[in-house]
Amino acid sequence: MKLEHKLFVFCHFALVLAISAILSTNLYASSGKDYEKAIVKITSNLRNGNFETAQSIAKDLHDGKPATRLASLLYADLLAAQAGALSSVGGLASQGKELRNLKHELNVRWNRHLQNETLLKQKVPASLIQLGNSTEHVVYADLSASRIYIYQNRNGAPYLINDYYVTQGLKGALKQVEGDQRTPVGVYYITGYIAGATLPSRYGPGALPINYPNALDIELSRTGYGIWIHGTEPYLVNRSPYASDGCLSLNNTDFKHFNRLIQQKRFTPVVIEKAIDWVDLGARNQTKIQLRNVIQKWTETYSQANHKKLSTFYKDPPKTGTGATKGVLIDNQTTILNYEQTTEVVDFELFQYPGESGLYVAEFGQRNKKSATQVRRVQQYWKKDSSGNWKIQVESISPKNSMIKLATEIKSSNQKPSS
């Protein structure tokens, strides 16, 4: 019997077993890591021609964990092949969208197994350039690989400490409008935690909301709300790769572990990208230095109350006006300048913005000369113009307590999330 390198056969018998797994009353929630290791063992043994061993592992998964649809499909394939019903693994056409999703899940899990662990420690996603002092961890989601990574901040540089299989929206990436069942691509921040006891069971042990839509999304007229990182149904080990309404969904045990790792949940950056670009640590140092210097000059100009000079930093010169409260959203159309004596940029954080060519988002504090302990959070989206000069595309200023208020409001509201 021939084996093909990537995909495995999915037949009608497999579909019956998968459905029986879903309907089974023997509910079992396992560690996503243990489950993935077992799936990799099955795959490895199949590729090496160890069919009996592969079948034994698949049977254990199917019998002991009836809610593992992928294991049930693999077990059914092996039984069908043993009975002579299949001429080759991977030789039949897929039997529908759900089975195609499971084949994709098998591929992304196997590809993760093939990744070099040493290189994963040496390389970082190109989007992660500089982490601020107040950031303990950063979450990075690679949607093409159905993978979510947790990096620890080590002196401003990201250090990988764990990763998990993750589910995205039914229609994939690049959310544009409410209800499009897509997962947004961009840089966001966790705004709070919602306990699973207060949510429908489909969200598992809890949820971590993120601040979609952000200032750039609003500028680009993207709509929608309720994008969360959460668990899954208690009767499933995990969902297939494309199975939410836009949220990121993890295995329930993985979510608990993920949640414990991120101790400072609020304000933790979440970078969501369609496909990862691995680079050497420090590969973006030149860009970091350039933007850090430009932002320091912007801060100094801001403190001088020189509107004419300040306007040169913007793509569209900001307008002065009245009636705005200090700390409200500032954009490139109706900026209200409330000057204060600021001396330096502190807690500087920089990301290359996913999905937007040449765009960078900086998050930092302005330290007030009169009150050294007061730090106002500023977020600016920067891009070079045709002359090679850095210009602010979109800007927002809001103190941290407004984000804390937002997190509290989200936690206590009746707002319905995407699933």
Side-chain angles (χ1 to χ4, degrees):
M1 180 177 65
K2 287 171 144 192
L3 289 174
E4 296 195 7
H5 178 63
K6 290 185 177 180
L7 301 179
F8 292 82
V9 116
F10 297 104
C11 60
H12 292 293
F13 181 42
L15 183 58
V16 171
L17 277 181
I19 293 173
S20 70
I22 297 170
L23 297 178
S24 172
T25 56
N26 182 14
L27 305 182
Y28 186 93
S30 78
S31 162
K33 292 283 188 180
D34 292 340
Y35 173 66
E36 186 162 81
K37 287 178 182 177
I39 292 295
V40 165
K41 285 182 180 179
I42 296 171
T43 307
S44 182
N45 278 285
L46 277 169
R47 295 186 70 234
N48 292 327
N50 302 322
F51 306 119
E52 290 186 3
T53 302
Q55 183 175 319
S56 175
I57 299 171
K59 185 178 186 300
D60 287 343
L61 277 180
H62 173 69
D63 292 346
K65 306 170 188 178
T68 59
R69 291 175 288 186
L70 178 56
S72 296
L73 289 168
L74 289 172
Y75 180 50
D77 267 358
L78 285 161
L79 290 178
Q82 186 180 44
L86 303 177
S87 60
S88 65
V89 176
L92 295 181
S94 63
Q95 305 289 325
K97 182 177 179 180
E98 181 61 23
L99 295 184
R100 289 196 299 272
N101 280 340
L102 290 173
K103 291 170 79 172
H104 178 63
E105 178 186 341
L106 180 59
N107 279 331
V108 297
R109 289 186 183 280
W110 179 251
N111 289 338
R112 173 62 185 89
H113 165 70
L114 295 178
Q115 285 184 301
N116 186 298
E117 295 295 331
T118 302
L119 286 179
L120 278 179
K121 296 290 186 181
Q122 295 173 347
K123 303 282 187 178
V124 296
S127 296
L128 309 184
I129 300 176
Q130 171 74 35
L131 303 182
N133 295 334
S134 62
T135 295
E136 295 180 2
H137 298 91
V138 60
V139 176
Y140 180 90
D142 176 7
L143 299 182
S144 68
S146 299
R147 211 76 195 176
I148 195 165
Y149 302 84
I150 297 183
Y151 288 87
Q152 186 181 60
N153 183 357
R154 295 192 177 180
N155 298 318
Y159 180 83
L160 181 63
I161 57 173
N162 218 323
D163 63 283
Y164 312 89
Y165 167 86
V166 71
T167 292
Q168 61 185 287
L170 281 162
K171 300 294 178 63
L174 300 173
K175 185 172 187 62
Q176 298 295 324
V177 297
E178 181 179 346
D180 64 5
Q181 296 183 315
R182 292 183 179 273
T183 298
V185 167
V187 178
Y188 303 97
Y189 287 84
I190 292 174
T191 60
Y193 171 73
I194 306 175
T198 66
L199 295 169
S201 62
R202 64 192 294 193
Y203 300 107
L208 298 165
I210 64 174
N211 68 323
Y212 174 87
N214 62 24
L216 181 67
D217 293 319
I218 293 170
E219 179 72 15
L220 297 176
S221 300
R222 293 171 182 158
T223 59
Y225 61 90
I227 300 298
W228 298 355
I229 302 170
H230 60 73
T232 192
E233 291 84 350
Y235 55 85
L236 293 177
V237 169
N238 59 260
R239 299 182 186 182
S240 60
Y242 301 94
S244 80
D245 283 335
C247 291
L248 296 172
S249 173
L250 285 80
N251 163 277
N252 285 337
T253 304
D254 286 350
F255 177 84
K256 291 176 182 177
H257 188 255
F258 177 96
N259 191 42
R260 285 196 300 270
L261 278 180
I262 306 175
Q263 296 178 358
Q264 181 184 312
K265 296 173 180 57
R266 292 175 182 172
F267 319 123
T268 295
V270 178
V271 181
I272 307 174
E273 196 147 16
K274 192 173 181 180
I276 200 167
D277 177 19
W278 294 104
V279 298
D280 292 328
L281 188 64
R284 296 292 191 272
N285 276 346
Q286 185 176 359
T287 300
K288 176 179 70 176
I289 294 169
Q290 284 182 0
L291 272 173
R292 183 70 163 74
N293 291 338
V294 171
I295 289 171
Q296 181 60 43
K297 291 178 181 178
W298 173 87
T299 299
E300 293 168 359
T301 306
Y302 182 90
S303 66
Q304 295 167 5
N306 186 333
H307 178 266
K308 183 177 180 180
K309 186 176 179 180
L310 187 65
S311 67
T312 63
F313 287 89
Y314 294 80
K315 171 189 172 185
D316 297 321
K319 302 173 183 178
T320 56
T322 58
T325 303
K326 188 181 302 180
V328 300
L329 179 71
I330 295 179
D331 60 33
N332 58 0
Q333 299 297 323
T334 56
T335 301
I336 308 302
L337 301 176
N338 296 289
Y339 297 106
E340 293 184 15
Q341 293 298 313
T342 55
T343 59
E344 61 181 339
V345 171
V346 295
D347 198 12
F348 179 72
E349 192 156 77
L350 181 65
F351 302 102
Q352 181 177 318
Y353 202 87
E356 303 290 339
S357 179
L359 187 67
Y360 296 81
V361 57
E363 181 84 12
F364 57 93
Q366 283 180 292
R367 180 170 292 163
N368 191 295
K369 183 184 292 185
K370 295 180 180 179
S371 175
T373 58
Q374 179 183 346
V375 177
R376 179 171 54 185
R377 299 305 301 177
V378 180
Q379 188 179 62
Q380 294 175 332
Y381 297 78
W382 291 81
K383 187 175 183 178
K384 285 185 176 180
D385 62 15
S386 58
S387 299
N389 298 313
W390 288 103
K391 298 290 183 181
I392 298 171
Q393 311 295 306
V394 180
E395 178 183 72
S396 62
I397 297 179
S398 58
K400 275 193 173 183
N401 62 350
S402 70
M403 288 194 71
I404 294 172
K405 181 180 179 183
L406 173 62
T408 304
E409 289 172 350
I410 290 176
K411 186 174 180 179
S412 61
S413 73
N414 293 320
Q415 182 188 86
K416 295 181 179 179
S418 298
S419 62

